[in-house]
Amino acid sequence: MNGQSGPDFSILTDKAFQKLYQNPEDCIQYSQSLLISEKNIEHKVVLRKIISWAYAMQGNYVQAINTSNQKEEDGLDVKQSRFLKLFEDFNLADQYQNLGLYDQSRKIIAGILADTKLQNTRNLQERMTLSKLYQLQAINDGISGKYNEALKNFDKSDQYLDHNNEENTITRQENSVFRSLSLMKNNRLDESKKQLDRVIHEIESEGKSPFLEAFSYEVLSRYYFQKEEYTTAVSYLEKGFAKIENMPYNDMKLIFYELFTQNYLALNDTGKYFHYNNLYTDLKSKLDSNRKEGIQYIVKLLEIYHKKNIEHQKQSKLKQVQLIIGGILLLIIGTLVCFYYELRRAKDLKKQLVFFEKQKQIMVLAAHTTATKEPLTKGNKVQDKDLTKLSEEKENEILEKLKEWEISRNFLSKNMSISILSAETGINPKYLSEVINSKKEKNFNGYINDLRINYIAYLLRTDPAYLNYKVSYLAEYAGFSSHGAFTNVFKSITGMSPNHYIQEIIKNKKP
């Protein structure tokens, strides 16, 4: 994000941004050296964000959040410029996306982009921030399966890249790689390949960005995997991984490990499959732990900042407006606190599945017998009474949000719980539970397991590559903790084991 108020600072931050894509450790060292002598608040905010991005690329989410939020220490008495307020909102949306809270990120960005006056700004700082916001929103759209919307937002991001510097060039190239990925997922393979070839040629000819080279080769490998040319896919993965192998781009390395695992599984190379699967599992465990700590940390920061805002509101003429903002912060804090503590209380997934099976048997038994036991009757009356609190319009709204969420495939996450679903959809967990029980006619675990098994069954029917995968990989991919748990749930839903189901598909495909 290039500060434009002074030519010297512009050149220095442009160099810092370029280092971000060359080696995050060098970027941190260089940017911190600039920050020590910098006095301008806007300049300090931009430098801290660059350092924050470098930490996030390494998977150090706590340090990323801490660094980018230190701007509050510059003092609440300083009147914020429009750029600082815009950048503050952008920073929060970016942090939510890094932590996997895509719905929260999307809502913040949508609110900012609704300001038509801001969209017409000629301020170069604000235009660069808007470009980043459209890029973030496009990524959120892609994660939700809204690929056409993602493509439109990448185009809008490019429209604000009208300054001739490295930051604009790198962001435009990054958008091109993301755009080709969206085209690929939208089954527009030829367009995706042409887009990739162009941007790879440009990035390689410049030779300035190992990160972007690795990113473009990673996406190119996905293209060949989708074409079932697994050997070619592996060759581009190796070429891309070599660019970052000795650098701490841990977020990107995790993606490479996963893609190596999938390709070697398809090639029936057991040795390399287990090697990369172990690397993937170890790094994913570490980054997931860092993400949880990041969520806990951002909740604490929001609590601290809220208290500071309350004190500042007493001296401000805009007290009513700030109280509304404080209320919004409290709602965000409450949601994240529930999300974090629910994760900590989560038990072993296998135990949850056993519990789900018991609950399912109880529900089936109850459906075929009369409600003669008084405790069960009373429980049903309480539930009916609670359901009357939700209007038909509200229920339909919740069902629509659930339908959109299902497209995102976040139900494949091993840590999925009703609190996480609440955080991702912005729906009260009590209302979620009521609607799932009444409209989906199953409890939360049953609902998630149905989505998982139906999605795996769909992949097995439509993508021949998955027929060659081991059941243990399908189980892990679907979010189950073990082969046995996956098999039990699969059989309870389809009436046959995964192996039996796969054999039936293969037999039906034969002439």
PDB file of all heavy atoms in Angstrom, residues 57-76:
ATOM      1  N   MET A  57       2.230 -14.156   5.921  1.00  0.00           N
ATOM      2  CA  MET A  57       2.747 -15.089   4.917  1.00  0.00           C
ATOM      3  C   MET A  57       3.538 -16.227   5.565  1.00  0.00           C
ATOM      4  O   MET A  57       3.604 -17.332   5.033  1.00  0.00           O
ATOM      5  CB  MET A  57       3.637 -14.357   3.916  1.00  0.00           C
ATOM      6  CG  MET A  57       2.877 -13.515   2.908  1.00  0.00           C
ATOM      7  SD  MET A  57       4.013 -12.625   1.821  1.00  0.00           S
ATOM      8  CE  MET A  57       2.891 -12.091   0.509  1.00  0.00           C
ATOM      9  N   GLN A  58       4.123 -15.945   6.736  1.00  0.00           N
ATOM     10  CA  GLN A  58       4.859 -16.975   7.473  1.00  0.00           C
ATOM     11  C   GLN A  58       3.937 -17.834   8.342  1.00  0.00           C
ATOM     12  O   GLN A  58       4.382 -18.819   8.916  1.00  0.00           O
ATOM     13  CB  GLN A  58       5.921 -16.319   8.358  1.00  0.00           C
ATOM     14  CG  GLN A  58       6.994 -15.571   7.577  1.00  0.00           C
ATOM     15  CD  GLN A  58       8.027 -14.922   8.497  1.00  0.00           C
ATOM     16  OE1 GLN A  58       8.853 -15.603   9.102  1.00  0.00           O
ATOM     17  NE2 GLN A  58       7.965 -13.609   8.606  1.00  0.00           N
ATOM     18  N   GLY A  59       2.668 -17.439   8.455  1.00  0.00           N
ATOM     19  CA  GLY A  59       1.737 -18.163   9.310  1.00  0.00           C
ATOM     20  C   GLY A  59       1.751 -17.700  10.746  1.00  0.00           C
ATOM     21  O   GLY A  59       1.164 -18.350  11.617  1.00  0.00           O
ATOM     22  N   ASN A  60       2.418 -16.576  11.031  1.00  0.00           N
ATOM     23  CA  ASN A  60       2.475 -16.025  12.389  1.00  0.00           C
ATOM     24  C   ASN A  60       1.354 -14.986  12.526  1.00  0.00           C
ATOM     25  O   ASN A  60       1.580 -13.782  12.468  1.00  0.00           O
ATOM     26  CB  ASN A  60       3.844 -15.377  12.634  1.00  0.00           C
ATOM     27  CG  ASN A  60       4.055 -15.021  14.092  1.00  0.00           C
ATOM     28  OD1 ASN A  60       3.102 -14.958  14.875  1.00  0.00           O
ATOM     29  ND2 ASN A  60       5.293 -14.777  14.467  1.00  0.00           N
ATOM     30  N   TYR A  61       0.124 -15.475  12.743  1.00  0.00           N
ATOM     31  CA  TYR A  61      -1.050 -14.602  12.705  1.00  0.00           C
ATOM     32  C   TYR A  61      -1.141 -13.678  13.916  1.00  0.00           C
ATOM     33  O   TYR A  61      -1.625 -12.551  13.803  1.00  0.00           O
ATOM     34  CB  TYR A  61      -2.323 -15.449  12.582  1.00  0.00           C
ATOM     35  CG  TYR A  61      -2.282 -16.390  11.400  1.00  0.00           C
ATOM     36  CD1 TYR A  61      -2.193 -17.767  11.585  1.00  0.00           C
ATOM     37  CD2 TYR A  61      -2.293 -15.900  10.101  1.00  0.00           C
ATOM     38  CE1 TYR A  61      -2.130 -18.631  10.505  1.00  0.00           C
ATOM     39  CE2 TYR A  61      -2.232 -16.752   9.011  1.00  0.00           C
ATOM     40  CZ  TYR A  61      -2.149 -18.118   9.223  1.00  0.00           C
ATOM     41  OH  TYR A  61      -2.075 -18.963   8.149  1.00  0.00           O
ATOM     42  N   VAL A  62      -0.674 -14.138  15.074  1.00  0.00           N
ATOM     43  CA  VAL A  62      -0.710 -13.292  16.273  1.00  0.00           C
ATOM     44  C   VAL A  62       0.175 -12.066  16.076  1.00  0.00           C
ATOM     45  O   VAL A  62      -0.240 -10.928  16.341  1.00  0.00           O
ATOM     46  CB  VAL A  62      -0.260 -14.088  17.516  1.00  0.00           C
ATOM     47  CG1 VAL A  62      -0.097 -13.155  18.705  1.00  0.00           C
ATOM     48  CG2 VAL A  62      -1.277 -15.169  17.847  1.00  0.00           C
ATOM     49  N   GLN A  63       1.396 -12.292  15.593  1.00  0.00           N
ATOM     50  CA  GLN A  63       2.311 -11.178  15.372  1.00  0.00           C
ATOM     51  C   GLN A  63       1.797 -10.268  14.262  1.00  0.00           C
ATOM     52  O   GLN A  63       1.972  -9.047  14.321  1.00  0.00           O
ATOM     53  CB  GLN A  63       3.705 -11.702  15.009  1.00  0.00           C
ATOM     54  CG  GLN A  63       4.790 -10.637  15.026  1.00  0.00           C
ATOM     55  CD  GLN A  63       4.975 -10.010  16.406  1.00  0.00           C
ATOM     56  OE1 GLN A  63       4.997 -10.715  17.414  1.00  0.00           O
ATOM     57  NE2 GLN A  63       5.067  -8.705  16.468  1.00  0.00           N
ATOM     58  N   ALA A  64       1.146 -10.852  13.258  1.00  0.00           N
ATOM     59  CA  ALA A  64       0.574 -10.048  12.166  1.00  0.00           C
ATOM     60  C   ALA A  64      -0.502  -9.107  12.702  1.00  0.00           C
ATOM     61  O   ALA A  64      -0.537  -7.916  12.370  1.00  0.00           O
ATOM     62  CB  ALA A  64      -0.017 -10.961  11.091  1.00  0.00           C
ATOM     63  N   ILE A  65      -1.379  -9.634  13.551  1.00  0.00           N
ATOM     64  CA  ILE A  65      -2.458  -8.821  14.127  1.00  0.00           C
ATOM     65  C   ILE A  65      -1.880  -7.759  15.055  1.00  0.00           C
ATOM     66  O   ILE A  65      -2.276  -6.583  15.014  1.00  0.00           O
ATOM     67  CB  ILE A  65      -3.455  -9.721  14.886  1.00  0.00           C
ATOM     68  CG1 ILE A  65      -4.185 -10.645  13.909  1.00  0.00           C
ATOM     69  CG2 ILE A  65      -4.468  -8.879  15.662  1.00  0.00           C
ATOM     70  CD1 ILE A  65      -4.959 -11.753  14.588  1.00  0.00           C
ATOM     71  N   ASN A  66      -0.944  -8.165  15.890  1.00  0.00           N
ATOM     72  CA  ASN A  66      -0.340  -7.238  16.846  1.00  0.00           C
ATOM     73  C   ASN A  66       0.346  -6.076  16.134  1.00  0.00           C
ATOM     74  O   ASN A  66       0.187  -4.912  16.513  1.00  0.00           O
ATOM     75  CB  ASN A  66       0.674  -7.987  17.714  1.00  0.00           C
ATOM     76  CG  ASN A  66       1.345  -7.091  18.735  1.00  0.00           C
ATOM     77  OD1 ASN A  66       0.680  -6.390  19.499  1.00  0.00           O
ATOM     78  ND2 ASN A  66       2.658  -7.088  18.744  1.00  0.00           N
ATOM     79  N   THR A  67       1.091  -6.375  15.075  1.00  0.00           N
ATOM     80  CA  THR A  67       1.836  -5.338  14.358  1.00  0.00           C
ATOM     81  C   THR A  67       0.913  -4.348  13.676  1.00  0.00           C
ATOM     82  O   THR A  67       1.072  -3.129  13.808  1.00  0.00           O
ATOM     83  CB  THR A  67       2.764  -5.990  13.305  1.00  0.00           C
ATOM     84  OG1 THR A  67       3.667  -6.880  13.959  1.00  0.00           O
ATOM     85  CG2 THR A  67       3.553  -4.924  12.559  1.00  0.00           C
ATOM     86  N   SER A  68      -0.080  -4.843  12.961  1.00  0.00           N
ATOM     87  CA  SER A  68      -0.946  -3.943  12.189  1.00  0.00           C
ATOM     88  C   SER A  68      -1.877  -3.127  13.076  1.00  0.00           C
ATOM     89  O   SER A  68      -2.390  -2.097  12.647  1.00  0.00           O
ATOM     90  CB  SER A  68      -1.773  -4.739  11.176  1.00  0.00           C
ATOM     91  OG  SER A  68      -2.631  -5.648  11.831  1.00  0.00           O
ATOM     92  N   ASN A  69      -2.098  -3.562  14.316  1.00  0.00           N
ATOM     93  CA  ASN A  69      -2.989  -2.824  15.210  1.00  0.00           C
ATOM     94  C   ASN A  69      -2.259  -1.884  16.157  1.00  0.00           C
ATOM     95  O   ASN A  69      -2.892  -1.229  16.981  1.00  0.00           O
ATOM     96  CB  ASN A  69      -3.852  -3.805  16.017  1.00  0.00           C
ATOM     97  CG  ASN A  69      -4.995  -4.370  15.208  1.00  0.00           C
ATOM     98  OD1 ASN A  69      -6.028  -3.739  15.020  1.00  0.00           O
ATOM     99  ND2 ASN A  69      -4.799  -5.569  14.682  1.00  0.00           N
ATOM    100  N   GLN A  70      -0.950  -1.789  16.060  1.00  0.00           N
ATOM    101  CA  GLN A  70      -0.196  -0.883  16.928  1.00  0.00           C
ATOM    102  C   GLN A  70      -0.456   0.581  16.596  1.00  0.00           C
ATOM    103  O   GLN A  70      -0.068   1.453  17.336  1.00  0.00           O
ATOM    104  CB  GLN A  70       1.303  -1.173  16.796  1.00  0.00           C
ATOM    105  CG  GLN A  70       1.732  -2.432  17.518  1.00  0.00           C
ATOM    106  CD  GLN A  70       3.194  -2.732  17.312  1.00  0.00           C
ATOM    107  OE1 GLN A  70       3.926  -1.937  16.718  1.00  0.00           O
ATOM    108  NE2 GLN A  70       3.642  -3.881  17.781  1.00  0.00           N
ATOM    109  N   LYS A  71      -1.115   0.835  15.496  1.00  0.00           N
ATOM    110  CA  LYS A  71      -1.418   2.220  15.121  1.00  0.00           C
ATOM    111  C   LYS A  71      -2.243   2.933  16.171  1.00  0.00           C
ATOM    112  O   LYS A  71      -2.206   4.143  16.274  1.00  0.00           O
ATOM    113  CB  LYS A  71      -2.158   2.271  13.788  1.00  0.00           C
ATOM    114  CG  LYS A  71      -3.490   1.536  13.791  1.00  0.00           C
ATOM    115  CD  LYS A  71      -4.103   1.574  12.412  1.00  0.00           C
ATOM    116  CE  LYS A  71      -5.413   0.834  12.327  1.00  0.00           C
ATOM    117  NZ  LYS A  71      -5.261  -0.611  12.575  1.00  0.00           N
ATOM    118  N   GLU A  72      -2.990   2.175  16.970  1.00  0.00           N
ATOM    119  CA  GLU A  72      -3.786   2.791  18.030  1.00  0.00           C
ATOM    120  C   GLU A  72      -2.901   3.518  19.042  1.00  0.00           C
ATOM    121  O   GLU A  72      -3.324   4.440  19.698  1.00  0.00           O
ATOM    122  CB  GLU A  72      -4.621   1.724  18.744  1.00  0.00           C
ATOM    123  CG  GLU A  72      -5.692   1.084  17.864  1.00  0.00           C
ATOM    124  CD  GLU A  72      -6.813   2.022  17.537  1.00  0.00           C
ATOM    125  OE1 GLU A  72      -6.937   3.070  18.190  1.00  0.00           O
ATOM    126  OE2 GLU A  72      -7.587   1.729  16.609  1.00  0.00           O
ATOM    127  N   GLU A  73      -1.652   3.079  19.159  1.00  0.00           N
ATOM    128  CA  GLU A  73      -0.746   3.697  20.122  1.00  0.00           C
ATOM    129  C   GLU A  73      -0.345   5.107  19.712  1.00  0.00           C
ATOM    130  O   GLU A  73       0.220   5.861  20.497  1.00  0.00           O
ATOM    131  CB  GLU A  73       0.507   2.828  20.283  1.00  0.00           C
ATOM    132  CG  GLU A  73       0.197   1.446  20.848  1.00  0.00           C
ATOM    133  CD  GLU A  73       1.412   0.550  20.843  1.00  0.00           C
ATOM    134  OE1 GLU A  73       2.493   1.031  20.451  1.00  0.00           O
ATOM    135  OE2 GLU A  73       1.284  -0.625  21.233  1.00  0.00           O
ATOM    136  N   ASP A  74      -0.616   5.483  18.464  1.00  0.00           N
ATOM    137  CA  ASP A  74      -0.278   6.825  18.020  1.00  0.00           C
ATOM    138  C   ASP A  74      -1.180   7.878  18.651  1.00  0.00           C
ATOM    139  O   ASP A  74      -0.953   9.061  18.508  1.00  0.00           O
ATOM    140  CB  ASP A  74      -0.388   6.910  16.491  1.00  0.00           C
ATOM    141  CG  ASP A  74       0.691   6.070  15.817  1.00  0.00           C
ATOM    142  OD1 ASP A  74       1.805   6.030  16.351  1.00  0.00           O
ATOM    143  OD2 ASP A  74       0.405   5.468  14.780  1.00  0.00           O
ATOM    144  N   GLY A  75      -2.243   7.404  19.315  1.00  0.00           N
ATOM    145  CA  GLY A  75      -3.082   8.339  20.059  1.00  0.00           C
ATOM    146  C   GLY A  75      -4.459   8.511  19.489  1.00  0.00           C
ATOM    147  O   GLY A  75      -4.632   8.665  18.288  1.00  0.00           O
ATOM    148  N   LEU A  76      -5.461   8.450  20.361  1.00  0.00           N
ATOM    149  CA  LEU A  76      -6.840   8.649  19.930  1.00  0.00           C
ATOM    150  C   LEU A  76      -7.178  10.122  19.751  1.00  0.00           C
ATOM    151  O   LEU A  76      -8.190  10.464  19.168  1.00  0.00           O
ATOM    152  CB  LEU A  76      -7.786   8.022  20.972  1.00  0.00           C
ATOM    153  CG  LEU A  76      -7.824   6.492  20.998  1.00  0.00           C
ATOM    154  CD1 LEU A  76      -8.589   6.032  22.233  1.00  0.00           C
ATOM    155  CD2 LEU A  76      -8.477   5.937  19.743  1.00  0.00           C
TER     156      LEU A  76
END
